[in-house]
Amino acid sequence: MSLALSIGLLAAAGVFLVLQRGMIRIILGFVLLTHAVNLLIIAAGGVARRDAPFFGTDTSQAADALPQAFVLTAIVIAFAITVVMATFAVIGRRDDDTEPETHEPGELDPTRVGEER
């Protein structure tokens, strides 16, 4: 029950953040969604009703390693995508018109320091 509740809360918070403006919020929402999916895959693997792998002679109750391998692969892929999205957020900061202006109209724009007018 608590695992299902955790998955639901992570997924709801992730969807909420993905629908917000701003690249950082979208990235955080993506991270929360990947955590929710990883928990869902582990829960679907049925870890709670099985013993540890090779914990005796009866291998019919051994834990299935396939969901664990899927989650490990998903973690690596999600980390790579998060790094790419964070790179795009830093590179495209000047082109982002979704964030409000943080400087006063009369002062210099901190993102355009060093550029000629």
Side-chain angles (χ1 to χ4, degrees):
M1 176 68 178
S2 64
L3 186 59
L5 187 62
S6 298
I7 293 169
L9 286 174
L10 284 173
V15 168
F16 177 75
L17 285 174
V18 165
L19 295 176
Q20 297 295 311
R21 286 183 158 186
M23 193 65 175
I24 298 300
R25 290 185 186 111
I26 293 172
I27 293 170
L28 290 175
F30 175 75
V31 168
L32 289 179
L33 280 174
T34 57
H35 287 328
V37 169
N38 289 342
L39 283 176
L40 183 67
I41 292 172
I42 289 292
V47 177
R49 62 181 177 269
R50 295 182 180 256
D51 292 332
F54 307 117
F55 185 67
T57 58
D58 186 21
T59 58
S60 66
Q61 291 297 317
D64 190 13
L66 190 60
Q68 297 171 11
F70 282 154
V71 168
L72 185 62
T73 305
I75 289 170
V76 171
I77 291 171
F79 180 72
I81 292 173
T82 303
V83 168
V84 169
M85 288 173 64
T87 304
F88 287 156
V90 170
I91 290 174
R93 185 170 31 171
R94 290 187 204 156
D95 297 333
D96 188 12
D97 60 350
T98 61
E99 292 293 323
E101 296 284 331
T102 57
H103 61 280
E104 295 297 321
E107 68 183 51
L108 292 175
D109 187 0
T111 60
R112 300 183 77 190
V113 173
E115 292 182 9
E116 293 186 26
R117 296 177 192 233

